[in-house]
Amino acid sequence: MPAFDLPLPELERHRPDIEEPADFDAFWRDTLKAATAPVVSVRPAETGLRLTRTWDVTFRGFGGDPVRAWFSLPAGVGGGERVGAGGGSPPAGVGGAGETRPAVVEFAGYGRGRGLPHERLTWVNAGYAHLLMDNRGQGDQYGCGGDTPDPHAAAPGGPGPAVRGLLAAEDYHYRRLITDAVRAVAAVRALPGVDPARTVAVGNSQGGGLALAVAGLVPDLTAVLVTAPLLCGIRRALDLTDAGPYGEIAAYLAVHRGAEDAACRTLSYVEGVSFARRAQAPAHFGVGLRDTVCPPSGVYAAYNRYAELTATEPRKEIHPYPFNGHEGGEAVQVRRQLDWLREVLDEAGDSGGSSG
């Protein structure tokens, strides 16, 4: 697919106005109202790996629903031996003395679940604590599946996650999934081996959109790293592409004529540019300029307006890949992320693996 969006010089200046609802902040404040202790259970998982220890974590997401995740630590990290508790409360030893590490909370792509615990080892091998959140009601399109149902998916809408409950913001799938993502940060901060003051959100595609939402809703996040984030510049994306989740929305509206206004109002509450405007953490972006799934103009809109509502300007950078599509920079981008995150943590006076 040749480049189809704006030329790079225009992308670098692209700061579109976003139709943001007046009650955007109130909507999310009410949605995220106080929850009980986040961790429900933590059980050891057998992975066949000797250098990584993994636990099957259940935490409370939207509506108190149980959400599954994999939590991993490098073998031998202080505090990790205390994680193997189960039951209805956080494991014994939370908050005790011992070695603690920055935590990377990772969010998976559209249609994918958490899969198997040995599938994603980059961040734990880099020395970080790592939590991979399952996507509620997803996991059936690719990968190795998921383990978290979505018990609130009965509202009108199509079969795909992008259109479930599309006609009302209160019913929309992404209201629930974004809430889960915010609660995942609270959950990882309650686990042994983690320094709760050093928490990072990471994701590609849908996972990038979730990480960006977390950055806008969690004011004390340490950093956010996103590649080709979904849900950015949504209205323009619907005009540009029929690929991926945006194509599902367009197909739904092609059948449900007259539902466009309601759908667009719902989508305005999950617009990634609105979350980006409110974010405060240092940010690292990546984008393929031939990406028809998450058009680059949406990524640049979020990047260019990132942190504009905050008092200080955090460190941020973006890496475009002119000849790549939704795959972006792949391993090259991951290496850039690893180097950048270490620099950010070093600038704050520490890096992965220091004692708490």
Side-chain angles (χ1 to χ4, degrees):
M1 168 62 70
F4 76 106
D5 207 336
L6 300 171
L8 182 57
E10 293 184 33
L11 289 172
E12 292 173 339
R13 299 188 299 269
H14 186 56
R15 298 174 60 91
D17 291 331
I18 297 296
E19 295 182 12
E20 188 173 293
D23 64 340
F24 182 91
D25 291 310
F27 175 86
W28 283 107
R29 185 170 57 249
D30 291 344
T31 295
L32 297 171
K33 270 181 183 173
T36 54
V39 178
V40 176
S41 67
V42 186
R43 303 179 186 280
E46 178 53 53
T47 65
L49 303 176
R50 295 184 178 182
L51 302 181
T52 300
R53 301 183 67 190
T54 300
W55 294 263
D56 187 347
V57 171
T58 301
F59 67 90
R60 293 180 178 88
F62 176 88
D65 299 336
V67 178
R68 305 286 288 278
W70 297 123
F71 175 63
S72 298
L73 288 170
V77 170
E81 68 277 2
R82 301 192 302 274
V83 181
S89 60
V94 170
E99 185 180 0
T100 60
R101 302 199 172 211
V104 171
V105 182
E106 185 175 4
F107 306 106
Y110 188 76
R112 186 183 186 111
R114 64 175 181 166
L116 299 174
H118 60 267
E119 289 185 79
R120 300 194 182 210
L121 300 174
T122 296
W123 295 106
V124 69
N125 278 337
Y128 301 102
H130 179 236
L131 185 87
L132 175 64
M133 186 187 85
D134 204 12
N135 287 325
R136 68 164 61 219
Q138 299 189 30
D140 298 323
Q141 294 188 23
Y142 69 103
C144 291
D147 301 291
T148 303
D150 185 0
H152 306 277
V163 288
R164 291 178 193 158
L166 181 62
L167 301 185
E170 294 77 9
D171 298 330
Y172 194 35
H173 176 78
Y174 280 108
R175 180 190 181 214
R176 301 188 291 277
L177 195 60
I178 289 170
T179 301
D180 293 347
V182 171
R183 298 273 165 78
V185 172
V188 81
R189 287 174 166 173
L191 293 172
V194 169
D195 179 353
R198 298 181 292 166
T199 311
V200 179
V202 172
N204 301 331
S205 193
Q206 175 185 263
L210 294 177
L212 202 56
V214 167
L217 294 169
V218 179
D220 59 346
L221 200 68
T222 302
V224 58
L225 301 96
V226 301
T227 304
L230 185 67
L231 301 175
C232 294
I234 298 172
R235 292 294 298 270
R236 177 175 168 83
L238 288 172
D239 292 335
L240 284 177
T241 184
D242 283 328
Y246 296 122
E248 292 182 23
I249 295 171
Y252 178 83
L253 294 177
V255 174
H256 298 273
R257 301 166 182 86
E260 180 179 347
D261 288 346
C264 287
R265 177 164 175 78
T266 294
L267 292 167
S268 70
Y269 286 95
V270 299
E271 169 60 62
V273 177
S274 294
F275 291 121
R277 297 178 67 218
R278 291 160 170 78
Q280 302 178 37
H284 188 281
F285 283 69
V287 56
L289 299 188
R290 299 175 183 232
D291 188 347
T292 60
V293 178
C294 296
S297 55
V299 182
Y300 271 93
Y303 176 77
N304 290 334
R305 302 194 67 178
Y306 189 86
E308 69 179 10
L309 296 182
T310 62
T312 59
E313 184 176 350
R315 172 177 176 171
K316 68 174 185 177
E317 62 184 60
I318 187 168
H319 295 275
Y321 298 92
F323 295 97
N324 290 101
H326 195 54
E327 78 282 3
E330 297 184 301
V332 171
Q333 175 70 359
V334 172
R335 178 56 191 266
R336 284 174 165 163
Q337 290 178 325
L338 289 165
D339 293 343
W340 180 86
L341 181 56
R342 183 166 294 279
E343 289 177 6
V344 167
L345 291 169
D346 285 346
E347 287 174 2
D350 52 38
S351 59
S354 65
S355 296

